[in-house]
Amino acid sequence: MEINKFIDHTILKATATEDDILELCKEAREYSFFSVCVNSCYVPLAKKNLEGSDVKVCAVVGFPLGAMSTEAKVFETEQALKDGAEEIDMVINIGELKSKNYKKVEEEIAAIKSAVGDRVLKVIIETCYLTPQEITLASELAVKAKADFVKTSTGFGTDGARMENIEVMKKAVNGQAKIKASGGIKNLDTALSYIEAGVARIGTSSGVSIVKELKK
């Protein structure tokens, strides 16, 4: 199995420096990861350093809280795409979902998908803050808004990916969107268990050690 092709090689911490991004890109080339996932300010740097490789650049938007205006998220998306991002991972407005403003949540995802066009949009629903019913609803709203993926977590909440939440998401999207597991995926066993459960992508900063573990 080419586990490397499931991995979005990720660095999103506030302290990430330009050197960290260069190292991330170097590792992504070396291990042929599917993409690097970075904060949007680093898209131009990542794009430049991945030229000539087939590693994609993925940018997060509205990260990590999701509590910005829709207009701000759309602008950030458009700028990231202009700078060379090929995939966008957006955070939903969790407060709006919990306020039962479902139409607003769906419209925001749709507005961002409209900006993304035929490129890939992943919707981070931050499962650690949601009940199973809310996870179902958020996943269904993402599908209605034509998102390509639903994603478990930012990695900055109180918890990361959990198998029981993957099952809820899988049932909710019913094959109409793919699933990305992220948050706390640090070893081969965990990554493989999610892939076996049907996730199409893994977001992790431990991609190198996961691939090395597989080679052993």
Side-chain angles (χ1 to χ4, degrees), residues 172-214:
V173 300
N174 194 23
Q176 292 174 277
K178 294 174 184 172
I179 294 170
K180 175 173 170 180
S182 65
I185 302 167
K186 296 189 186 320
N187 58 50
L188 180 64
D189 280 352
T190 310
L192 287 175
S193 68
Y194 284 120
I195 290 166
E196 278 157 23
V199 311
R201 207 80 67 76
I202 301 274
T204 180
S205 53
S206 306
V208 173
S209 58
I210 287 170
V211 171
K212 281 181 175 167
E213 229 187 304
L214 184 65

Side-chain angles (χ1 to χ4, degrees), residues 61 68-78 108 111-112:
V61 161
M68 305 75 189
S69 68
T70 294
E71 292 76 10
K73 288 183 184 173
V74 169
F75 181 85
E76 187 181 12
T77 300
E78 288 170 345
E108 179 173 274
I112 293 170

Side-chain angles (χ1 to χ4, degrees), residues 106-119:
E106 184 189 334
E107 282 171 353
E108 179 173 274
I109 301 167
I112 293 170
K113 180 57 185 171
S114 173
V116 170
D118 56 11
R119 285 162 290 207

